[in-house]
Amino acid sequence: MDKLDIPKAYEAKDYEDAIYAAWEASGFFNPDNLPGDRPLAFSITLPPPNVTGTLHMGHAVMLAIEDIMVRYQRMCGKRVLWIPGTDHAAIATQAKVEKLLMKEEGKSRHDLGREAFLKRVEQFAAKSHDIIVNQAKKMGASLDWSREAYTLDAPRSLAVRTAFKRMYDDGLIYRGNRVINWCSRCQSTLADDEVDYKETNAKFYYLKYGPITIGTARPETKFLDKVIVVHPDDARYADIVGKEFDVEWIEGTVRARVIADKASDMTFGTGAMTITPAHSHEDFQIAKEHGLEVVQIISEDGTFTSAAGAFAGKNARASRDEIVAVLEKKGLVERIDENYVHNLSVCYRCETPVEPLPKLQWFIDVNKEFNRDGKQVTLKALMQDAVRSGAIKIVPERFDKTYFNWVDNLRDWCISRQLWFGHRIPAWYRSSVIASEARQSYGEIATSSSTPRNDSELYVGIEAPEGEGWVQDPDTFDTWFSAGLWTISTLGWPDQGSQTLQQLRTYHPTSVLETGYDILFFWVARMVLMTTYLVGEVPFKMVYLHGLVRDEQGRKMSKSLDNVIDPLDMIAKFGADATRLSLVIGSTPGNDSKLSEEKVAGYRNFTNKLWNISRFVLTTTNNHPQPILEKEGRSTLYSPPFEGGAKGWLPETLADRWILSRLDTVVASVTKKLSAHELSSAGEELRDFTWNDFADWYLEIAKIQKREQTDQILLHVLETILKLWHPFMPFVTEQIWKNFSGNMLLIQSWPTVTGSADLEAEKEFSFIQEIIGAIRNLRAANKIEPIKKVSIVVDRDIPEHEIIKQLARVTDITVGEKPDGSVSTVVGSLTIHIPLTGLVDLEAERTRLTKERDELISYIASIDTKLSNTEFTGKAPEKVVAQMKEKREDAARKLFAVNGQIFMIKSQ
RNA sequence: GGGCGCUUAGCUCAGCUGGUUAGAGCGACUCGUUUACACCGAGUAGGCCAGGGGUUCGAAUCCCUUAGCGCCCACCA
């Protein structure tokens, strides 16, 4: 037998990479290679990180939580599939590369041209991808890399084109000219939810416009305003509604007229506004209803069009003051409110102010009825039903409301983007006019206003059409369109091969979607939309939302605040296991959590604790004459399984019965909690058991219980907690597991309840703990001399007196029959009598004990009162009454111990 | 303007459908040279569960209300 040589401290970095490599080599991350039958499947698709750079703490949380779920289910015997992938994140990635290009070479994407630029982006994405994969591995994520996907790879592109085609054929996708959100820096449209609002201090201008005064925050858009809108009920303007008159304006005289519309707010500004249909969503709406002309005066690059006369070509927002100066010169500025606060709409990526512009774009109609299984439905209705029917469960539940609030108010989704990086819209046009227009915008900024053409041929298909003269739409898809297909596209949809179909049948709908609550709308809702429409089933049965990881002070982590904690740094310093625990324990779904280095360090201490527990157990048992580790398959010693529960190996002592009972409780409870996705709570309970019960009590007892039985129990408990901990701390547990024979811990089966629950033992042992605690207290109080003599009187044979003796580290224990004690009426089986000498600090101890005794007495009295109250006993459920009685017993037992101690002190 | 949360020990938070004397970790303080671990052990002190009202035998938990804080959504020119 070799002597075990285990280092004193666990250094994560010495083991983790090798362990991950071994897992990967085993092939067990791929469900096809898992041993056993596994009729039930469990699947998660990893929310694909953007290929914009590196992973942050948010990704680390995601990987930790999902890996825990996945490892747990794998050990439970499920056919577990966790698919990794990355997201091309069109707008974010393109913006990033453009920024780099400008910084490093001083070039814009137009300097390179579309093709060369895309090559650059792909290079960047590839590099970023490799970093991400490496980081996921560092975290210990047990992802099936053989199925890795990318939102922009060939299979996913096919899925995108197929989805578009099908929706188009069903009339759910249309091309329309509408005012959209335009980011002049990204040079692209933005969906409604890609617009952020930033509270900004601005000026509010009161301008004379003919006979009335109008209010505006954006005078520069007002060049061609010809229509004043007032509220129909506004008495101030009632007499001029419908009238026309000439007004002196920015560039000379304009013929203006007044209309009434409820959109005008009587209480805001002067109650009168002019409208700019081309550059405001609401004005566009009004113009549409009243059949007004829509003229674009601001172009895609943020400059004025020729419609702005002398200002043409100048940046619109930058010209505001200049235009106001012109108005002022003409005496048209009545006053300026300098303290105007409003919500400026900005691009969620680059914070550039969003410019509303009229553009011809592709939209998904969420309100259009179509036939589904003989019923008329809308996409919106599908999204609502998926959650309302319970087919999808959101955790935490309160996000249901957020979800509905969003879906109910959903407007048509603009899916086309003027980016180069992304899936091209599978639409082709054939007509000289359109074709040249499309060519122009291919690589150029589209300058012409895009009005719908009737003279063009349009082809929508999965592949390019046959024939001459077809030009593909230059636009690309909103990145969330491809992301919305993620659960089905990663499983092979729309391929119809039997293997793909089988795979979809097995793993779809996926079991859980785990992601941050911040992308509930962007992504989760879109997946529900796409998947329910395309394959007629929900994409996942459950949505588990985690919160944001904030810094110690609760601030968001950001580069500008310099408070970013890099997961890789934490892993390097404290190990992946500690990092995972610090992200999972102490945080609950849907709530933000705070992270500090100290917290991670704390869990590093725990991994080391587990390491040393193992070190002790393994070396102790190994040193014994019948080396348990050398026996063939340690399991022969005590399993499988415990026949007839723990009786199979007859634990001899109270401590044995106690620890096994506790272990059984913990197995049951942790299993239940993990099944219910209560990860934090499961982890806490496991930590308490491992540290408080197993390490602090049973290990100490084991040192003096020199029976072979103890070795078996030590090994059994260790084996069980290694399994229980494995989902949380895969590395350290797997490393320790190497001391056992057989397969990797990764695929061991999850512990089951053995039937060792022993309430009597738990009660009795807690009493022993009480007594030992008392002895320790007394020793601590004895500052001058060690305790000379302790006598313990028991009324029946409790072998634990040996333990007490050792633990209390006292000498000279005598054991005898219990005298007919006066206190025995309270309850109890054990009394102690400790004559002590040389004590000086006992007075304080006595005061404390007396106080405790009084509290216990009044507590017992209060229970007695309650129990004699017929209203309580009559109305409270039986279970509660029984509980109360038990509590009374516990308190009485404690009182007995306290009384004993007081008696001891008195007798000094 | 709508909606959703939060307020529990010095700090970070658990406390599910009402039922132990409200818990944990960290921190503080006291003690400890115990052969698994100082990345340790044994203890102690900290709470009117934000305030007020109600329902109930019983409320941190349910209802109403007040105050403070946060988040999401929304086209106020």
Side-chain angles (χ1 to χ4, degrees), chain A residues 265 273 282 340 612 691 859 875:
Chain A
D265 182 349
M273 61 177 177
E282 55 275 31
Y340 179 63
N612 274 292
W691 206 316
Y859 175 59
K875 289 186 183 174

PDB file of all heavy atoms in Angstrom, chain A residues 265 273 282 340 612 691 859 875, chain B residues 14 21 36 41 57 75-77:
ATOM      1  N   ASP A 265     -51.438  67.626 -26.990  1.00  0.00           N
ATOM      2  CA  ASP A 265     -51.684  67.704 -25.552  1.00  0.00           C
ATOM      3  C   ASP A 265     -51.911  69.160 -25.161  1.00  0.00           C
ATOM      4  O   ASP A 265     -51.017  69.985 -25.282  1.00  0.00           O
ATOM      5  CB  ASP A 265     -50.466  67.130 -24.816  1.00  0.00           C
ATOM      6  CG  ASP A 265     -50.666  67.126 -23.313  1.00  0.00           C
ATOM      7  OD1 ASP A 265     -51.629  67.744 -22.832  1.00  0.00           O
ATOM      8  OD2 ASP A 265     -49.844  66.482 -22.629  1.00  0.00           O
ATOM      9  N   MET A 273     -48.697  72.623 -31.815  1.00  0.00           N
ATOM     10  CA  MET A 273     -47.395  72.205 -32.325  1.00  0.00           C
ATOM     11  C   MET A 273     -47.464  72.131 -33.849  1.00  0.00           C
ATOM     12  O   MET A 273     -48.534  71.935 -34.421  1.00  0.00           O
ATOM     13  CB  MET A 273     -47.014  70.838 -31.751  1.00  0.00           C
ATOM     14  CG  MET A 273     -47.994  69.723 -32.108  1.00  0.00           C
ATOM     15  SD  MET A 273     -47.453  68.129 -31.468  1.00  0.00           S
ATOM     16  CE  MET A 273     -48.786  67.061 -31.947  1.00  0.00           C
ATOM     17  N   GLU A 282     -44.738  59.978 -33.977  1.00  0.00           N
ATOM     18  CA  GLU A 282     -46.131  60.375 -33.750  1.00  0.00           C
ATOM     19  C   GLU A 282     -46.615  61.338 -34.828  1.00  0.00           C
ATOM     20  O   GLU A 282     -47.753  61.287 -35.257  1.00  0.00           O
ATOM     21  CB  GLU A 282     -46.307  60.966 -32.347  1.00  0.00           C
ATOM     22  CG  GLU A 282     -45.393  62.112 -32.014  1.00  0.00           C
ATOM     23  CD  GLU A 282     -44.035  61.635 -31.487  1.00  0.00           C
ATOM     24  OE1 GLU A 282     -43.554  60.543 -31.892  1.00  0.00           O
ATOM     25  OE2 GLU A 282     -43.465  62.356 -30.664  1.00  0.00           O
ATOM     26  N   TYR A 340     -35.391  72.511 -19.515  1.00  0.00           N
ATOM     27  CA  TYR A 340     -36.259  71.455 -20.023  1.00  0.00           C
ATOM     28  C   TYR A 340     -35.538  70.109 -19.919  1.00  0.00           C
ATOM     29  O   TYR A 340     -34.412  69.952 -20.370  1.00  0.00           O
ATOM     30  CB  TYR A 340     -36.615  71.782 -21.471  1.00  0.00           C
ATOM     31  CG  TYR A 340     -37.485  70.748 -22.135  1.00  0.00           C
ATOM     32  CD1 TYR A 340     -38.760  70.485 -21.659  1.00  0.00           C
ATOM     33  CD2 TYR A 340     -37.023  70.047 -23.240  1.00  0.00           C
ATOM     34  CE1 TYR A 340     -39.560  69.549 -22.265  1.00  0.00           C
ATOM     35  CE2 TYR A 340     -37.816  69.103 -23.857  1.00  0.00           C
ATOM     36  CZ  TYR A 340     -39.094  68.860 -23.360  1.00  0.00           C
ATOM     37  OH  TYR A 340     -39.869  67.930 -23.977  1.00  0.00           O
ATOM     38  N   ASN A 612      -9.340  19.209   2.534  1.00  0.00           N
ATOM     39  CA  ASN A 612      -8.729  18.693   3.752  1.00  0.00           C
ATOM     40  C   ASN A 612      -9.573  17.661   4.465  1.00  0.00           C
ATOM     41  O   ASN A 612      -9.058  16.774   5.132  1.00  0.00           O
ATOM     42  CB  ASN A 612      -8.368  19.849   4.689  1.00  0.00           C
ATOM     43  CG  ASN A 612      -7.002  20.394   4.340  1.00  0.00           C
ATOM     44  OD1 ASN A 612      -6.002  19.716   4.527  1.00  0.00           O
ATOM     45  ND2 ASN A 612      -6.971  21.588   3.773  1.00  0.00           N
ATOM     46  N   TRP A 691     -19.509  21.348   6.478  1.00  0.00           N
ATOM     47  CA  TRP A 691     -18.607  22.039   7.382  1.00  0.00           C
ATOM     48  C   TRP A 691     -18.974  21.788   8.852  1.00  0.00           C
ATOM     49  O   TRP A 691     -18.153  21.351   9.647  1.00  0.00           O
ATOM     50  CB  TRP A 691     -18.631  23.556   7.083  1.00  0.00           C
ATOM     51  CG  TRP A 691     -17.373  24.267   7.465  1.00  0.00           C
ATOM     52  CD1 TRP A 691     -16.668  24.096   8.629  1.00  0.00           C
ATOM     53  CD2 TRP A 691     -16.669  25.255   6.707  1.00  0.00           C
ATOM     54  NE1 TRP A 691     -15.576  24.915   8.636  1.00  0.00           N
ATOM     55  CE2 TRP A 691     -15.544  25.643   7.473  1.00  0.00           C
ATOM     56  CE3 TRP A 691     -16.875  25.859   5.471  1.00  0.00           C
ATOM     57  CZ2 TRP A 691     -14.635  26.613   7.024  1.00  0.00           C
ATOM     58  CZ3 TRP A 691     -15.969  26.826   5.041  1.00  0.00           C
ATOM     59  CH2 TRP A 691     -14.862  27.190   5.798  1.00  0.00           C
ATOM     60  N   TYR A 859     -40.534  30.549  28.085  1.00  0.00           N
ATOM     61  CA  TYR A 859     -40.912  30.005  26.782  1.00  0.00           C
ATOM     62  C   TYR A 859     -41.800  28.784  26.946  1.00  0.00           C
ATOM     63  O   TYR A 859     -42.840  28.643  26.308  1.00  0.00           O
ATOM     64  CB  TYR A 859     -39.660  29.657  25.974  1.00  0.00           C
ATOM     65  CG  TYR A 859     -39.958  28.986  24.658  1.00  0.00           C
ATOM     66  CD1 TYR A 859     -40.749  29.628  23.711  1.00  0.00           C
ATOM     67  CD2 TYR A 859     -39.465  27.724  24.366  1.00  0.00           C
ATOM     68  CE1 TYR A 859     -41.032  29.025  22.497  1.00  0.00           C
ATOM     69  CE2 TYR A 859     -39.736  27.105  23.165  1.00  0.00           C
ATOM     70  CZ  TYR A 859     -40.521  27.762  22.228  1.00  0.00           C
ATOM     71  OH  TYR A 859     -40.796  27.158  21.026  1.00  0.00           O
ATOM     72  N   LYS A 875     -58.509  25.339  16.481  1.00  0.00           N
ATOM     73  CA  LYS A 875     -58.404  25.844  15.113  1.00  0.00           C
ATOM     74  C   LYS A 875     -57.103  25.504  14.397  1.00  0.00           C
ATOM     75  O   LYS A 875     -57.069  25.406  13.173  1.00  0.00           O
ATOM     76  CB  LYS A 875     -58.598  27.363  15.114  1.00  0.00           C
ATOM     77  CG  LYS A 875     -60.037  27.748  15.416  1.00  0.00           C
ATOM     78  CD  LYS A 875     -60.256  29.221  15.269  1.00  0.00           C
ATOM     79  CE  LYS A 875     -61.685  29.600  15.654  1.00  0.00           C
ATOM     80  NZ  LYS A 875     -61.915  31.033  15.654  1.00  0.00           N
TER      81      LYS A 875
ATOM     82  P     A B  14     -32.056  37.819  -1.406  1.00  0.00           P
ATOM     83  OP1   A B  14     -32.367  37.790  -2.827  1.00  0.00           O
ATOM     84  OP2   A B  14     -32.897  38.634  -0.509  1.00  0.00           O
ATOM     85  O5'   A B  14     -32.034  36.314  -0.879  1.00  0.00           O
ATOM     86  C5'   A B  14     -32.331  36.048   0.464  1.00  0.00           C
ATOM     87  C4'   A B  14     -32.167  34.600   0.710  1.00  0.00           C
ATOM     88  O4'   A B  14     -31.370  34.448   1.897  1.00  0.00           O
ATOM     89  C3'   A B  14     -33.486  33.900   1.010  1.00  0.00           C
ATOM     90  O3'   A B  14     -34.025  33.353  -0.172  1.00  0.00           O
ATOM     91  C2'   A B  14     -33.093  32.843   2.037  1.00  0.00           C
ATOM     92  O2'   A B  14     -32.531  31.710   1.426  1.00  0.00           O
ATOM     93  C1'   A B  14     -32.012  33.584   2.818  1.00  0.00           C
ATOM     94  N9    A B  14     -32.552  34.404   3.916  1.00  0.00           N
ATOM     95  C8    A B  14     -32.657  35.772   3.967  1.00  0.00           C
ATOM     96  N7    A B  14     -33.162  36.231   5.081  1.00  0.00           N
ATOM     97  C5    A B  14     -33.412  35.085   5.818  1.00  0.00           C
ATOM     98  C6    A B  14     -33.945  34.884   7.099  1.00  0.00           C
ATOM     99  N6    A B  14     -34.328  35.863   7.891  1.00  0.00           N
ATOM    100  N1    A B  14     -34.065  33.595   7.539  1.00  0.00           N
ATOM    101  C2    A B  14     -33.665  32.610   6.736  1.00  0.00           C
ATOM    102  N3    A B  14     -33.149  32.670   5.510  1.00  0.00           N
ATOM    103  C4    A B  14     -33.043  33.958   5.105  1.00  0.00           C
ATOM    104  P     U B  21     -41.842  29.911  18.846  1.00  0.00           P
ATOM    105  OP1   U B  21     -42.247  29.449  20.161  1.00  0.00           O
ATOM    106  OP2   U B  21     -42.802  30.617  17.978  1.00  0.00           O
ATOM    107  O5'   U B  21     -40.540  30.803  18.987  1.00  0.00           O
ATOM    108  C5'   U B  21     -40.664  32.170  19.401  1.00  0.00           C
ATOM    109  C4'   U B  21     -39.292  32.658  19.838  1.00  0.00           C
ATOM    110  O4'   U B  21     -38.887  31.849  20.978  1.00  0.00           O
ATOM    111  C3'   U B  21     -38.213  32.511  18.776  1.00  0.00           C
ATOM    112  O3'   U B  21     -37.540  33.755  18.639  1.00  0.00           O
ATOM    113  C2'   U B  21     -37.254  31.466  19.337  1.00  0.00           C
ATOM    114  O2'   U B  21     -35.888  31.800  19.127  1.00  0.00           O
ATOM    115  C1'   U B  21     -37.523  31.554  20.830  1.00  0.00           C
ATOM    116  N1    U B  21     -37.247  30.285  21.543  1.00  0.00           N
ATOM    117  C2    U B  21     -36.311  30.342  22.555  1.00  0.00           C
ATOM    118  O2    U B  21     -35.731  31.367  22.858  1.00  0.00           O
ATOM    119  N3    U B  21     -36.081  29.150  23.179  1.00  0.00           N
ATOM    120  C4    U B  21     -36.682  27.952  22.919  1.00  0.00           C
ATOM    121  O4    U B  21     -36.371  26.968  23.564  1.00  0.00           O
ATOM    122  C5    U B  21     -37.643  27.980  21.867  1.00  0.00           C
ATOM    123  C6    U B  21     -37.892  29.125  21.225  1.00  0.00           C
ATOM    124  P     A B  36      -4.917  15.175  12.120  1.00  0.00           P
ATOM    125  OP1   A B  36      -5.867  15.649  13.113  1.00  0.00           O
ATOM    126  OP2   A B  36      -4.554  13.748  12.099  1.00  0.00           O
ATOM    127  O5'   A B  36      -5.464  15.545  10.672  1.00  0.00           O
ATOM    128  C5'   A B  36      -4.696  15.272   9.517  1.00  0.00           C
ATOM    129  C4'   A B  36      -5.148  16.178   8.394  1.00  0.00           C
ATOM    130  O4'   A B  36      -6.552  15.937   8.147  1.00  0.00           O
ATOM    131  C3'   A B  36      -5.048  17.661   8.708  1.00  0.00           C
ATOM    132  O3'   A B  36      -3.766  18.155   8.395  1.00  0.00           O
ATOM    133  C2'   A B  36      -6.120  18.244   7.794  1.00  0.00           C
ATOM    134  O2'   A B  36      -5.662  18.307   6.466  1.00  0.00           O
ATOM    135  C1'   A B  36      -7.207  17.161   7.872  1.00  0.00           C
ATOM    136  N9    A B  36      -8.184  17.397   8.933  1.00  0.00           N
ATOM    137  C8    A B  36      -8.130  16.983  10.239  1.00  0.00           C
ATOM    138  N7    A B  36      -9.175  17.336  10.953  1.00  0.00           N
ATOM    139  C5    A B  36      -9.977  18.021  10.059  1.00  0.00           C
ATOM    140  C6    A B  36     -11.221  18.650  10.199  1.00  0.00           C
ATOM    141  N6    A B  36     -11.907  18.669  11.348  1.00  0.00           N
ATOM    142  N1    A B  36     -11.735  19.253   9.114  1.00  0.00           N
ATOM    143  C2    A B  36     -11.043  19.229   7.976  1.00  0.00           C
ATOM    144  N3    A B  36      -9.858  18.659   7.724  1.00  0.00           N
ATOM    145  C4    A B  36      -9.384  18.067   8.803  1.00  0.00           C
ATOM    146  P     G B  41     -12.845  26.006  10.700  1.00  0.00           P
ATOM    147  OP1   G B  41     -13.879  25.129  10.119  1.00  0.00           O
ATOM    148  OP2   G B  41     -12.990  27.473  10.601  1.00  0.00           O
ATOM    149  O5'   G B  41     -12.662  25.649  12.239  1.00  0.00           O
ATOM    150  C5'   G B  41     -12.467  24.298  12.624  1.00  0.00           C
ATOM    151  C4'   G B  41     -12.161  24.228  14.083  1.00  0.00           C
ATOM    152  O4'   G B  41     -10.933  24.963  14.355  1.00  0.00           O
ATOM    153  C3'   G B  41     -13.167  24.891  14.997  1.00  0.00           C
ATOM    154  O3'   G B  41     -14.296  24.069  15.208  1.00  0.00           O
ATOM    155  C2'   G B  41     -12.334  25.063  16.260  1.00  0.00           C
ATOM    156  O2'   G B  41     -12.135  23.818  16.913  1.00  0.00           O
ATOM    157  C1'   G B  41     -11.008  25.517  15.655  1.00  0.00           C
ATOM    158  N9    G B  41     -10.939  26.976  15.563  1.00  0.00           N
ATOM    159  C8    G B  41     -10.987  27.756  14.430  1.00  0.00           C
ATOM    160  N7    G B  41     -10.902  29.040  14.689  1.00  0.00           N
ATOM    161  C5    G B  41     -10.801  29.108  16.067  1.00  0.00           C
ATOM    162  C6    G B  41     -10.684  30.232  16.928  1.00  0.00           C
ATOM    163  O6    G B  41     -10.641  31.433  16.631  1.00  0.00           O
ATOM    164  N1    G B  41     -10.616  29.853  18.274  1.00  0.00           N
ATOM    165  C2    G B  41     -10.652  28.554  18.722  1.00  0.00           C
ATOM    166  N2    G B  41     -10.582  28.391  20.032  1.00  0.00           N
ATOM    167  N3    G B  41     -10.754  27.497  17.934  1.00  0.00           N
ATOM    168  C4    G B  41     -10.824  27.847  16.624  1.00  0.00           C
ATOM    169  P     C B  57     -59.759  33.810  14.971  1.00  0.00           P
ATOM    170  OP1   C B  57     -60.622  32.619  15.000  1.00  0.00           O
ATOM    171  OP2   C B  57     -60.283  35.148  15.305  1.00  0.00           O
ATOM    172  O5'   C B  57     -58.489  33.535  15.901  1.00  0.00           O
ATOM    173  C5'   C B  57     -58.634  33.670  17.315  1.00  0.00           C
ATOM    174  C4'   C B  57     -57.390  33.153  17.995  1.00  0.00           C
ATOM    175  O4'   C B  57     -57.306  31.715  17.814  1.00  0.00           O
ATOM    176  C3'   C B  57     -56.088  33.664  17.412  1.00  0.00           C
ATOM    177  O3'   C B  57     -55.746  34.918  17.970  1.00  0.00           O
ATOM    178  C2'   C B  57     -55.095  32.579  17.806  1.00  0.00           C
ATOM    179  O2'   C B  57     -54.695  32.687  19.154  1.00  0.00           O
ATOM    180  C1'   C B  57     -55.958  31.320  17.651  1.00  0.00           C
ATOM    181  N1    C B  57     -55.824  30.711  16.311  1.00  0.00           N
ATOM    182  C2    C B  57     -54.641  30.015  15.985  1.00  0.00           C
ATOM    183  O2    C B  57     -53.738  29.965  16.821  1.00  0.00           O
ATOM    184  N3    C B  57     -54.528  29.447  14.782  1.00  0.00           N
ATOM    185  C4    C B  57     -55.533  29.522  13.905  1.00  0.00           C
ATOM    186  N4    C B  57     -55.363  28.935  12.728  1.00  0.00           N
ATOM    187  C5    C B  57     -56.735  30.213  14.210  1.00  0.00           C
ATOM    188  C6    C B  57     -56.844  30.786  15.404  1.00  0.00           C
ATOM    189  P     C B  75     -42.829  54.600 -27.487  1.00  0.00           P
ATOM    190  OP1   C B  75     -43.369  54.397 -28.847  1.00  0.00           O
ATOM    191  OP2   C B  75     -41.534  53.997 -27.087  1.00  0.00           O
ATOM    192  O5'   C B  75     -42.755  56.146 -27.164  1.00  0.00           O
ATOM    193  C5'   C B  75     -41.774  56.947 -27.792  1.00  0.00           C
ATOM    194  C4'   C B  75     -42.391  58.242 -28.244  1.00  0.00           C
ATOM    195  O4'   C B  75     -43.315  57.967 -29.324  1.00  0.00           O
ATOM    196  C3'   C B  75     -43.251  58.917 -27.198  1.00  0.00           C
ATOM    197  O3'   C B  75     -42.446  59.735 -26.376  1.00  0.00           O
ATOM    198  C2'   C B  75     -44.215  59.731 -28.043  1.00  0.00           C
ATOM    199  O2'   C B  75     -43.635  60.922 -28.496  1.00  0.00           O
ATOM    200  C1'   C B  75     -44.454  58.808 -29.232  1.00  0.00           C
ATOM    201  N1    C B  75     -45.661  57.968 -29.135  1.00  0.00           N
ATOM    202  C2    C B  75     -46.925  58.565 -29.108  1.00  0.00           C
ATOM    203  O2    C B  75     -46.987  59.798 -29.136  1.00  0.00           O
ATOM    204  N3    C B  75     -48.022  57.793 -29.043  1.00  0.00           N
ATOM    205  C4    C B  75     -47.913  56.468 -29.011  1.00  0.00           C
ATOM    206  N4    C B  75     -49.025  55.762 -28.952  1.00  0.00           N
ATOM    207  C5    C B  75     -46.636  55.823 -29.032  1.00  0.00           C
ATOM    208  C6    C B  75     -45.563  56.611 -29.106  1.00  0.00           C
ATOM    209  P     C B  76     -42.484  59.665 -24.858  1.00  0.00           P
ATOM    210  OP1   C B  76     -41.410  58.739 -24.528  1.00  0.00           O
ATOM    211  OP2   C B  76     -43.836  59.428 -24.336  1.00  0.00           O
ATOM    212  O5'   C B  76     -42.048  61.149 -24.477  1.00  0.00           O
ATOM    213  C5'   C B  76     -43.031  62.025 -23.931  1.00  0.00           C
ATOM    214  C4'   C B  76     -43.638  62.833 -25.013  1.00  0.00           C
ATOM    215  O4'   C B  76     -45.040  62.867 -24.746  1.00  0.00           O
ATOM    216  C3'   C B  76     -43.175  64.288 -25.086  1.00  0.00           C
ATOM    217  O3'   C B  76     -42.157  64.483 -26.050  1.00  0.00           O
ATOM    218  C2'   C B  76     -44.453  65.011 -25.448  1.00  0.00           C
ATOM    219  O2'   C B  76     -44.730  64.978 -26.826  1.00  0.00           O
ATOM    220  C1'   C B  76     -45.477  64.223 -24.662  1.00  0.00           C
ATOM    221  N1    C B  76     -45.535  64.597 -23.239  1.00  0.00           N
ATOM    222  C2    C B  76     -46.678  65.266 -22.769  1.00  0.00           C
ATOM    223  O2    C B  76     -47.577  65.504 -23.562  1.00  0.00           O
ATOM    224  N3    C B  76     -46.748  65.640 -21.468  1.00  0.00           N
ATOM    225  C4    C B  76     -45.745  65.362 -20.638  1.00  0.00           C
ATOM    226  N4    C B  76     -45.871  65.749 -19.391  1.00  0.00           N
ATOM    227  C5    C B  76     -44.581  64.675 -21.085  1.00  0.00           C
ATOM    228  C6    C B  76     -44.522  64.324 -22.378  1.00  0.00           C
ATOM    229  P     A B  77     -40.938  65.458 -25.625  1.00  0.00           P
ATOM    230  OP1   A B  77     -39.812  64.585 -25.387  1.00  0.00           O
ATOM    231  OP2   A B  77     -41.530  66.265 -24.565  1.00  0.00           O
ATOM    232  O5'   A B  77     -40.571  66.412 -26.864  1.00  0.00           O
ATOM    233  C5'   A B  77     -41.492  67.360 -27.306  1.00  0.00           C
ATOM    234  C4'   A B  77     -42.088  66.839 -28.572  1.00  0.00           C
ATOM    235  O4'   A B  77     -43.490  67.012 -28.459  1.00  0.00           O
ATOM    236  C3'   A B  77     -41.630  67.571 -29.821  1.00  0.00           C
ATOM    237  O3'   A B  77     -41.509  66.664 -30.908  1.00  0.00           O
ATOM    238  C2'   A B  77     -42.732  68.599 -30.041  1.00  0.00           C
ATOM    239  O2'   A B  77     -42.912  68.866 -31.392  1.00  0.00           O
ATOM    240  C1'   A B  77     -43.957  67.911 -29.459  1.00  0.00           C
ATOM    241  N9    A B  77     -44.863  68.848 -28.811  1.00  0.00           N
ATOM    242  C8    A B  77     -44.593  70.083 -28.324  1.00  0.00           C
ATOM    243  N7    A B  77     -45.641  70.687 -27.816  1.00  0.00           N
ATOM    244  C5    A B  77     -46.672  69.780 -27.979  1.00  0.00           C
ATOM    245  C6    A B  77     -48.029  69.835 -27.637  1.00  0.00           C
ATOM    246  N6    A B  77     -48.600  70.860 -27.038  1.00  0.00           N
ATOM    247  N1    A B  77     -48.784  68.773 -27.937  1.00  0.00           N
ATOM    248  C2    A B  77     -48.204  67.718 -28.538  1.00  0.00           C
ATOM    249  N3    A B  77     -46.933  67.560 -28.907  1.00  0.00           N
ATOM    250  C4    A B  77     -46.208  68.652 -28.588  1.00  0.00           C
TER     251        A B  77
END
